[in-house]
Structures are given as structure tokens and as C-alpha cells.
Amino acid sequence: MGSALTSEKEMSVYESMAARFDVAARKLNLDEGLMKYLRTPNREIIVHIPVTMDDGRLETFDGFRVQHSIARGPCKGGVRFGPQVTLDEIRGLAAEMTWKCAVVNIPFGGAKGGVVCDPAKLSMGELERITRRYTAEILDYIGPERDVPAPDMNTNEQIMAWVMDTYSMHVRHTTTAVVTGKPLELGGSRGRREATGRGCMIVCDQALKRFGRKRENTRVIVHGFGNVGSQAARLMHEAGYKIVGVADISGGVYNSHGLDIQALLDFVSANRQVKGFPGGEPVGNLEILEMDCEVLLPAATESVINSSNADRIKAHILVEGANSPTTPPADDILFDRGVFVIPDILANAGGVTVSYFEWVQDRQGYFWPEADVNEKLNYIQVQAFNDVVHYGEKHNVNNRIAAYMLAIERVASTLKMRGIYA
Ligand code: NAD
């Protein structure tokens, strides 16, 4: 954790987003006024949430919802819970959601939310009361046509069910499309739980195709073993990739012959951590980033690849399952070293894409078989991968800047057509 924290000082999430945005927008010769407007969120909501704790104490938690853009449709983006959540981080991630939705060409803008709390120290009752009061505080700003939250770090299907119920109680009718990532029984989509990990595998497959590489000869390290990391590891293992390393906040395991991922999943569901898994050598959760592999899949938190370790990353392909796992100075180092980076706003867009499918299904009241969801996801991820890589080749920029340029171009063109309301 030490160097991840140091690197956060290297550049905050918003600063990283803005630095990349500026490079891309200048290459597009975007008008200065439009540049400033697109870099700035539409709206930032700060709420203070009073909650009665189990022991009778009254606690107040800070919460945020940042709505970056509604140019292409309703805002869309996750809500994260965590002790380190900051407004700056949520602001940066909200903008990244706008670019992500534009890269995969789905009709949403971008938003992100967060509550400063430590879920590990909260009971289910406390978690539910925090979630419901946070939802009530932002209620006027969310809705199927306004802003549609989803799960992110430390939030899950149960929390989305509480958001949906709280909203529905206020508006006096069940409104499933107000939130995505819900349980299947409450209007969730088949395939949503696996979607982000599946999307990572789809773009990784495309990269392998480019390099004429086989899954069976490809060693993968997955950093983070929550929703994104565990599903990516499971699906890639089942598809024939060799998963040699996995880490979570507790520590990591490495096995050069390949880890037994089902045994690891069983171990984590029993012990709630990767540390102690007997099927590999114990390694530190930062050390593992630098170990031998062809594919590194960060799926944990921000800025873990930074100028202090980028020159020691051995992977040839970086699939960014997490949001903002690499700092801009690290981008330059990786680019110089020839690492093929599949940037977050492309690699992890499978989650928001299936969230879009969930929103469509809720609004239609008609639910699709999982095979249809996966086929449509595959189509969108492959198309977006090709769009980004071809854009990069055409404009002679790396994949990250290509993804930003493509997204900014799409959002700017929508804004120009709509005009500025005054
Ligand atoms: P999660 O809370 O389910 O899992 C996070 C995992 O990361 C846990 O295993 C945790 O132990 C681990 N972790 C945290 N800090 C770590 C550290 N310093 N070193 C090693 N491991 C660490 O969260 P998630 O939903 O899987 O999200 C992970 C990342 O993916 C986040 O950046 C999130 O914004 C991004 N993301 C998630 C989705 C989604 O659908 N859930 C979609 C797109 C992007």
C-alpha cells in the first residue's frame, strides 16, 4: 500500500484525467472555451449523512455525487464506499465515465458517487441506513432519465437494491431503471456480475490476436480480487489463460505453473482474503505487479502503477480493469518500453455496457437470455477496441490518448449539435 499512497501524491485522479484530457484536446485543436467546459463537471453535490449507529451514537458521514456530463444522455457511474474517498477522486472518475461511455458509444453521460466510510467496520444495518440516507439526499438529482448509479468499490447488488427501494418509496412506484447492478430478481441483467471482467478478457483476446499469441502460452497476473478481478481471473482461467498471480489488499500468491482459480475462489469465500492460500508462494501486493507475466490486469485501486515501479513492470500487455490504475508519468515510461496498454476507459467498459443493457431491459420490462447479453457485449467491446487502436495508428498516438481523443471528439460533436443553452 505504501507506494500506492506515495503515488497518489504524484498526481490525483482528477489531475491525471485532466492531464490526459489536455493532451488529447490539444491534438484535436479543440477551442479553449469548449476545452475548459468539457474538463469541468456540470454539477457537484456534497451531502452530510446523519446515521444512528447500532450502539445508539449519531454519526455523520460525507457523501458526494459528481455529474460530469449529460451531453449524450443521462449521467451514469458507480458509487464507491471507502475511508479514503475524496471529492477530487470522484470528480476525476465522473469525467472518466463520460469518456468511457463515449468510447463504447452508448447513450450516457458520466457521473460518480462516493461515501466516506469504512464498510469493514459497519454492520449490515448501518450500511443499509447509510445507503438509504445517501440516496434520499441525492434523490432529486437521480432517476432513469437523469442519473443512474451502479456498484463500484465496496458496493454491491444488495446496496443497489436499497438504492432502488429508497428511490421507489419516495416516488411511490417501483422504478427499477434508477440503478444498475441490481440482483436479478429486482430487475438486474443476466451477465452484469461478470460483465467488467468479461469485457477485460474480450479486449485482451483482441490484443493477443494482434500479437499472434495463444491464450495457453499467456501468463496473467490479476491485482485486486473483488468483483472485477475475481470474475476476470475466473473467466480467463476457464478460457485457457494461465493465471500465475493474484493479490488483494491482504497480500498475494504466485505460482509459475498456474493457480487453481476455483480453489482460490473457494478459499476467498471462506476466509475473505487471498493471503494464506496454500496453492502458491506468498508475495506482497505491490511486489506482484513486477513479477513475470505477459498480461498484467490491475483490478484494485488507483495509481498502483506509477513512476516508482513502471520501469520494472514485466508484462507486455496491460489491461486496466481498475479505474485510473496508472499515472500519466507511468504512461510515458510504459509507452517508451513498448508495453501495449489497453486503457481503463476501454478495458473496463464492459461493466457500464451491460449496465446500459440492464437499463434498457428495465425500461422495456423484457429480459434477455445471458447469451444475448454476452454476444452484444462482445460486439461492442471488439468494435471499441478496433476504433481505439485504428484511431491511434491514424493519429500516431498511444492507445490512452487515442481513446481520449475519440471520446472527446464524440462528446464535443454532440455538444456542437445541441448548442449551448443560454
Ligand atoms: P471491489 O471492492 O469488489 O474489489 C476491490 C479489490 O481490490 C478487493 O479484492 C480489494 O482487496 C483489492 N484491493 C484494494 N486495494 C488494494 C491494494 N492496495 N492492493 C491490492 N489489492 C487491493 O471493487 P471492484 O468493483 O472489483 O472495482 C475494482 C476497480 O475496478 C475499481 O477501480 C473500480 O472503479 C473499477 N471498476 C469496477 C467496475 C464494476 O463493475 N464493479 C466497472 C468498471 C471499473
Side-chain angles (χ1 to χ4, degrees), residues 76-93:
K76 187 86 194 78
V79 176
R80 56 171 58 179
F81 286 179
Q84 326 275 355
V85 168
T86 64
L87 178 58
D88 174 277
E89 163 192 331
I90 300 300
R91 188 185 285 139
L93 294 167

Side-chain angles (χ1 to χ4, degrees), residues 293-364:
C293 64
E294 281 75 40
V295 173
L296 177 61
L297 199 158
T301 188
E302 291 79 53
S303 309
V304 292
I305 303 167
N306 50 68
S307 56
S308 75
N309 63 1
D311 58 343
R312 293 194 300 277
I313 301 291
K314 306 236 175 23
H316 310 160
I317 300 171
L318 181 67
V319 182
E320 293 188 333
N323 284 312
S324 211
T326 311
T327 63
D331 268 350
D332 295 338
I333 298 169
L334 296 177
F335 183 67
D336 289 345
R337 296 185 48 232
V339 178
F340 187 81
V341 175
I342 311 182
D344 47 7
I345 58 173
L346 168 62
N348 70 38
V352 76
T353 300
V354 176
S355 275
Y356 164 54
F357 299 159
E358 181 174 332
W359 178 79
V360 169
Q361 292 171 78
D362 285 339
R363 283 153 54 103
Q364 289 181 330

Side-chain angles (χ1 to χ4, degrees), residues 25 54-55 58 74 82 84 103-104 126 129 140 156 209 229 232 237 291 313 338 340 343 357:
D54 289 350
D55 62 5
L58 181 65
Q84 326 275 355
V103 165
V104 284
E126 290 166 341
R129 293 195 289 283
D140 291 339
N156 56 23
K209 214 161 115 187
H237 173 72
M291 296 186 74
I313 301 291
F340 187 81
F357 299 159

Side-chain angles (χ1 to χ4, degrees), residues 110-133:
K112 201 83 180 186
V115 177
V116 188
C117 63
D118 188 351
K121 297 191 179 135
L122 297 168
S123 70
M124 280 293 267
E126 290 166 341
L127 208 52
E128 177 172 355
R129 293 195 289 283
I130 291 176
T131 304
R132 288 190 182 275
R133 185 63 191 249

